[in-house]
Amino acid sequence: MNPSNRPLLLIDVDGPLNPYAAKPQSRPRGYGTHRMRPTGWTEAESPKPLRVWLNPDHGAELLALAESYELVWATTWKDEANDWIGPRLGLPRLPYIDWPQMHGRAPRGTFWKTQYVLEYAAERPFAWIDDDISAMDREYVDQRHPARTLLMRIDERIGLTRADFDALAHWAA
């Protein structure tokens, strides 16, 4: 498949890859703890580095999907996902959405990322995995995006599951 014909797979970190909302004693199976200090996580704000749970199997799953998708970070980590997250999952450096404004106003009750996801995708088909996607986002995208889309809300207490990877593979096929 011509790379420019592949749909985008827009990947959020916190929620899908890092099930940050799980209780520490009930962390999902397969996840390891990593301590990180990305930009913005300063010692002045928090003496402890940020706790991030990652499942190393997700790297292989995403690389398998890269045969059908162009993988793109769609996270507030922006390019730092390439420094902190990707290497721990065995991923190459990926392009990322450089949000013009983070956590700003959003149209019609949508998540703040949604308007920028549409700008980034232009008219290409895309799948987007994030823990903040709602019915309003789906409706907004359906009304404004000319290509096919898959918006998958991922439970931030569980992270990506086998069923999610299967659904992404099926949709791309």
Side-chain angles (χ1 to χ4, degrees), residues 82-155:
N82 284 312
D83 300 325
W84 294 99
I85 306 302
R88 286 161 178 87
L89 297 177
L91 295 174
R93 291 192 76 79
L94 301 176
Y96 64 96
I97 298 177
D98 190 8
W99 312 109
Q101 179 181 359
M102 290 198 295
H103 310 289
R105 290 181 173 249
R108 294 188 49 229
T110 59
F111 180 37
W112 68 266
K113 286 182 183 178
T114 306
Q115 60 192 320
Y116 304 124
V117 161
L118 288 182
E119 286 176 20
Y120 186 88
E123 296 190 358
R124 287 179 68 181
F126 69 87
W128 176 24
I129 51 176
D130 201 297
D131 60 310
D132 283 308
I133 292 170
S134 71
M136 289 296 293
D137 298 297
R138 286 186 187 90
E139 180 182 325
Y140 186 84
V141 169
D142 286 347
Q143 292 173 354
R144 288 165 177 77
H145 196 67
R148 64 192 193 103
T149 61
L150 174 65
L151 277 64
M152 292 180 61
R153 187 196 179 284
I154 307 300
D155 188 328

Side-chain angles (χ1 to χ4, degrees), residues 8-167:
L8 300 167
L9 176 54
L10 306 174
I11 308 162
D12 183 30
V13 169
D14 295 316
L17 294 176
N18 170 28
Y20 67 89
K23 293 185 177 8
Q25 64 276 17
S26 62
R27 175 181 67 201
R29 264 186 156 184
Y31 285 81
T33 301
H34 302 271
R35 296 291 177 176
M36 303 178 184
R37 198 172 286 286
T39 302
W41 195 264
T42 63
E43 256 184 87
E45 283 184 37
S46 176
K48 292 173 96 176
L50 176 65
R51 181 206 72 211
V52 177
W53 288 327
L54 296 172
N55 183 331
D57 295 341
H58 287 170
E61 295 282 0
L62 289 168
L63 288 173
L65 289 171
E67 294 179 21
S68 303
Y69 287 97
E70 179 185 336
L71 306 182
V72 176
W73 293 119
T75 173
T76 58
W77 289 74
K78 299 196 311 184
D79 191 35
E80 285 192 276
N82 284 312
D83 300 325
W84 294 99
I85 306 302
R88 286 161 178 87
L89 297 177
L91 295 174
R93 291 192 76 79
L94 301 176
Y96 64 96
I97 298 177
D98 190 8
W99 312 109
Q101 179 181 359
M102 290 198 295
H103 310 289
R105 290 181 173 249
R108 294 188 49 229
T110 59
F111 180 37
W112 68 266
K113 286 182 183 178
T114 306
Q115 60 192 320
Y116 304 124
V117 161
L118 288 182
E119 286 176 20
Y120 186 88
E123 296 190 358
R124 287 179 68 181
F126 69 87
W128 176 24
I129 51 176
D130 201 297
D131 60 310
D132 283 308
I133 292 170
S134 71
M136 289 296 293
D137 298 297
R138 286 186 187 90
E139 180 182 325
Y140 186 84
V141 169
D142 286 347
Q143 292 173 354
R144 288 165 177 77
H145 196 67
R148 64 192 193 103
T149 61
L150 174 65
L151 277 64
M152 292 180 61
R153 187 196 179 284
I154 307 300
D155 188 328
E156 63 275 12
R157 295 165 300 168
I158 296 171
L160 287 162
T161 65
R162 168 83 267 139
D164 297 323
F165 287 111
D166 290 346

